[in-house]
C-alpha cells in the first residue's frame, strides 16, 4: 500500500472554463485512485457548506451583490478556512483532488478587470498544488456543450476573458490537457499524470506554498 506514515498525499487541482469537464473528471479520478487502494478525497472550491461559502453561493446565484474586491476576498477566505485541514490530510497521506483553486480565484476576478497582482496576494501562503490539470477547451466549444446554468459568470463573453486570464497563470506545476477529446481519452491522460505525481509526493517531495 502507499500509505506509510512518512509519506504524504498529493495536492492535485483541476482547473478550466465552465463546461470543460472538470467535475466528471474529478469523480473519475477519485474512483480510479480509490480502486488502486490510495487514500484520496475529492474537494471543491467554492466550498458552499461554510458560512463564507453560503455568502459566495448567494452571490453566484445573483441573490446578493458584492463589490468585486469583496467577493474576491471571500473566495480566498473560503480557501484559508480549509487550509489547516488540507495540510493535515496531506501529511497523513491522503491525496486531495480539488475542483478549482486559487487559479480560478485569480482568473475570474482579473477577468473583471482587477489587477492580477492584487488578485494573487491573498492567496500567498496557501498550499501550492503539486499538479494543476488544466482542461483546455475554447470558450466557444465549451458553450456548444450546452447548458450554461443560471449563475453569474456562465456567459460566453465573460468566459473568453477568463480563458485569457488563465493563459497568464500557467507555471511549472501545470499540465494542459485537451478537453475536447473523448471523455475516456481525457481520463487516460489525467490518470497517467496523476499517478506520477502521487508517486513523487509519496517519495517525499516537500509541500510548498503559493505563490510560486
Ligand atoms: P463552480 O461552478 O465550480 O461551483 O464555481 N470562482 C471560483 C471564482 O470566481 N473564484 C474562485 O476562487 C473560485 C474557486 C468560478 C462557481 C464559480 O465561481 C468562480 C465559477
Amino acid at each position: 500500500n502507499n500509505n506509510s506514515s512518512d509519506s504524504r498525499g498529493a495536492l492535485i487541482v483541476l482547473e478550466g472554463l465552465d463546461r470543460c469537464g472538470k467535475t466528471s473528471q474529478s469523480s473519475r479520478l477519485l474512483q480510479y485512485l480509490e480502486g488502486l487502494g490510495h487514500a484520496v478525497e475529492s474537494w471543491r472550491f467554492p466550498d458552499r457548506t461554510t458560512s463564507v461559502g453560503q455568502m459566495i453561493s448567494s452571490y453566484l446565484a445573483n441573490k446578493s451583490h458584492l463589490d468585486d474586491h469583496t467577493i474576491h476576498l471571500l473566495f480566498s477566505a473560503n480557501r484559508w478556512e480549509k487550509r489547516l485541514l488540507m495540510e493535515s490530510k496531506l501529511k497523513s497521506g491522503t491525496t486531495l483532488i480539488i475542483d478549482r483553486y486559487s487559479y480560478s480565484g485569480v482568473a475570474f476576478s482579473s477577468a473583471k478587470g482587477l489587477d492580477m497582482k492584487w488578485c494573487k496576494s491573498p492567496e500567498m501562503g496557501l498550499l501550492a498544488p503539486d499538479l494543476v490539470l488544466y482542461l483546455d477547451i475554447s470558450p466557444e466549444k465549451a458553450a456548444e456543450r450546452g447548458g450554461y446554468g443560471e449563475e453569474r459568470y456562465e456567459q460566453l463573453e465573460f468566459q473568453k476573458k477568463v480563458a485569457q486570464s488563465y493563459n497568464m497563470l500557467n507555471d511549472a506545476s501545470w499540465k494542459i490537457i485537451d478537453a475536447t477529446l473523448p471523455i475516456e481519452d481525457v481520463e487516460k491522460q489525467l490518470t497517467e499524470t496523476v499517478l506520477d505525481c502521487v508517486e513523487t509526493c509519496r517519495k517525499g517531495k516537500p509541500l510548498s506554498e503559493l505563490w510560486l
Side-chain angles (χ1 to χ4, degrees):
N1 200 305
N2 305 286
N3 222 356
S4 74
S5 60
D6 57 350
S7 77
R8 71 163 176 98
L11 179 54
I12 296 167
V13 168
L14 279 89
E15 286 283 1
L17 299 178
D18 285 291
R19 313 293 302 154
C20 71
K22 275 186 288 46
T23 306
S24 28
Q25 291 296 342
S26 39
S27 67
R28 282 169 176 247
L29 270 179
L30 177 75
Q31 282 179 25
Y32 175 78
L33 290 175
E34 275 176 345
L36 293 176
H38 290 272
V40 58
E41 288 182 14
S42 113
W43 288 19
R44 66 180 312 140
F45 287 110
D47 176 342
R48 303 186 192 217
T49 65
T50 69
S51 52
V52 173
Q54 283 164 29
M55 292 173 73
I56 294 171
S57 192
S58 130
Y59 171 84
L60 289 171
N62 290 304
K63 289 183 181 139
S64 64
H65 299 279
L66 292 168
D67 164 75
D68 292 343
H69 302 80
T70 309
I71 183 64
H72 182 78
L73 294 172
L74 288 178
F75 274 114
S76 185
N78 187 232
R79 284 182 280 282
W80 277 102
E81 63 186 344
K82 307 295 280 190
R83 190 199 183 287
L84 260 183
L85 183 62
M86 189 182 276
E87 184 167 354
S88 71
K89 292 276 179 188
L90 292 169
K91 286 188 168 160
S92 73
T94 300
T95 284
L96 300 177
I97 311 228
I98 307 196
D99 189 339
R100 296 193 187 282
Y101 196 56
S102 304
Y103 309 91
S104 283
V106 177
F108 280 74
S109 291
S110 68
K112 297 174 179 172
L114 299 192
D115 178 71
M116 191 167 269
K117 207 167 150 219
W118 185 88
C119 290
K120 282 179 164 182
S121 55
E123 308 298 314
M124 273 181 69
L126 289 173
L127 296 175
D130 297 296
L131 175 65
V132 178
L133 298 161
Y134 184 74
L135 300 190
D136 192 24
I137 186 170
S138 72
E140 292 80 4
K141 273 218 169 118
E144 278 167 22
R145 289 186 169 180
Y148 276 152
E150 297 291 297
E151 289 205 327
R152 211 186 279 263
Y153 305 152
E154 296 183 342
Q155 295 154 20
L156 181 57
E157 286 314 305
F158 188 69
Q159 296 283 319
K160 286 183 187 168
K161 292 186 184 147
V162 174
Q164 287 172 357
S165 298
Y166 266 131
N167 276 335
M168 290 184 266
L169 291 174
N170 93 45
D171 61 37
S173 66
W174 281 47
K175 167 103 181 158
I176 297 175
I177 309 277
D178 182 353
T180 64
L181 296 174
I183 193 164
E184 291 77 15
D185 297 355
V186 175
E187 180 179 10
K188 187 150 178 291
Q189 290 190 48
L190 293 182
T191 51
E192 282 168 8
T193 318
V194 161
L195 277 185
D196 240 38
C197 172
V198 167
E199 187 61 13
T200 313
C201 294
R202 197 184 64 80
K203 285 183 182 152
K205 178 191 173 211
L207 268 174
S208 60
E209 292 182 347
L210 288 176
W211 196 256
L212 299 176

